[in-house]
């Protein structure tokens, strides 16, 4: 079950909204520092996976962070090196001391809670100029993760309708409930219920999920009206009328 949930979050990572680079961030990472940071990330991977020798990696990329002398390494690893095993995403944030790698903050999506953490670390870190500009004084709370229904992500067959409530044997006086339904998104309306500010360029989607069609891109700093909310932290936004859905991790309410 834990591996299945991690795979579900992998599907989200494939369709998540990547924040745009900050205008004041350097465009590239020096080659020497990138190589040093990647070696530090691989050492943490070997220690976590208890493996020696070469690792099966892909999509490795180095990003300079807003905090000085800090580089984020984002990529994916195949834990067992087998073709039938999924690649798990990871994020390693390497703080340099001079030319040497110092402290390493490491996250690997090997379980459902860790996959949620990696999802937000990738949104926050995996672009040039990412992360906080100063050292963190406390662990930041995670916003709610987007809802993932495995039957929607991995199956083209519609899920069966929930069974209606059934009556217990006559005379018992007990009503046995059937399977519970998941909460539905709030109905779309034409009256704004609040406003939000766009934290970074965000995709406005046709439905409250990471797989919804992108209808437009809301620019950073824009103030938008809220018309409805949906489970998983999604907001229906627009100007005067609803445009579509944006996840709350990209908004400031």
């Amino acid at each position: 079950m834990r591996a299945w949930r991690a795979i579900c979050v992998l599907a989200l990572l494939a369709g998540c909204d990547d924040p745009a680079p900050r205008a004041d961030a350097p465009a590239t990472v020096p080659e020497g520092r990138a190589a040093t940071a990647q070696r530090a990330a691989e050492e943490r991977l070997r220690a976590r996976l208890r493996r020696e020798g070469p690792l099966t990696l892909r999509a490795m990329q180095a990003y300079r962070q807003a905090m000085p002398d800090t580089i984020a390494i984002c990529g994916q690893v195949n834990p067992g090196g087998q073709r039938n095993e999924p690649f798990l995403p990871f994020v390693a944030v390497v703080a340099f001391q001079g030319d040497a790698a110092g402290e390493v903050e490491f996250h690997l999506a090997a379980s459902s809670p860790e996959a949620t953490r990696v999802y937000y670390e990738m949104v926050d870190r995996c672009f040039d100029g990412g992360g906080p500009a100063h050292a963190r004084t406390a662990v930041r709370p995670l916003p709610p993760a987007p809802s993932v229904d495995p039957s929607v992500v991995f199956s083209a067959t519609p899920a069966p309708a929930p069974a209606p409530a059934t009556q217990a044997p006559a005379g018992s006086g007990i009503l046995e409930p059937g399977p519970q339904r998941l909460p539905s998104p709030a109905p779309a309306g034409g009256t704004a219920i609040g406003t939000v500010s766009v934290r970074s360029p965000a995709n406005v989607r046709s439905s409250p999920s990471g797989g919804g069609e992108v209808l437009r891109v809301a620019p950073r700093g824009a103030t938008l009206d809220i018309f409805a909310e949906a489970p998983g932290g999604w907001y229906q936004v627009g100007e005067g009328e609803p445009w579509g859905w944006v996840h709350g991790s990209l908004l400031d309410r």
Side-chain angles (χ1 to χ4, degrees):
M1 177 60 73
R2 295 190 344 184
W4 174 254
R5 290 178 179 173
I7 293 173
C8 291
V9 176
L10 286 177
L12 275 177
L13 293 174
C16 68
D17 299 318
D18 294 330
R22 298 179 183 175
D24 57 350
T28 59
V29 177
E31 183 177 350
R33 283 209 163 185
T36 301
Q38 289 184 9
R39 286 195 296 270
E42 291 180 16
E43 289 177 3
R44 292 300 299 271
L45 279 170
R46 290 190 181 91
R48 175 64 188 277
L49 300 175
R50 299 180 181 178
R51 290 193 57 188
E52 297 182 358
L55 296 169
T56 305
L57 303 169
R58 72 181 184 186
M60 289 275 285
Q61 184 66 45
Y63 299 97
R64 183 175 298 198
Q65 300 295 281
M67 195 164 70
D69 299 320
T70 305
I71 294 175
I73 301 296
C74 304
Q76 301 174 11
V77 61
N78 185 322
Q82 304 297 322
R83 291 185 177 181
N84 60 343
E85 290 188 1
F87 278 80
L88 302 182
F90 66 88
V91 176
V93 182
V94 182
F96 277 79
Q97 297 177 352
D99 293 330
E103 182 180 355
V104 179
E105 179 184 341
F106 180 78
H107 303 281
L108 173 66
S111 67
S112 180
E114 291 172 311
T116 301
R117 166 61 71 180
V118 170
Y119 171 80
Y120 288 108
E121 289 295 330
M122 292 184 72
V123 171
D124 190 38
R125 296 283 194 176
C126 296
F127 61 98
D128 286 319
H134 305 285
R136 298 177 183 177
T137 57
V139 177
R140 296 176 298 172
L142 287 177
S147 299
V148 181
D149 184 351
S151 65
V152 175
V153 176
F154 295 100
S155 175
T157 304
T166 56
Q167 184 69 41
S172 65
I174 301 175
L175 182 66
E176 296 293 340
Q180 296 184 354
R181 294 177 180 269
L182 293 175
S184 301
T191 303
I193 60 175
T195 60
V196 290
S197 176
V198 181
R199 184 182 303 163
S200 60
N203 288 338
V204 180
R205 299 184 179 275
S206 60
S207 60
S209 69
E213 178 186 0
V214 178
L215 304 177
R216 64 174 71 192
V217 177
R220 179 181 182 181
T223 299
L224 302 177
D225 298 322
I226 300 175
F227 294 93
E229 299 183 28
W234 290 89
Y235 294 88
Q236 188 186 48
V237 298
E239 289 182 349
E241 62 180 7
W243 290 350
W245 299 86
V246 176
H247 191 255
S249 62
L250 302 175
L251 304 173
D252 288 321
R253 186 166 185 176

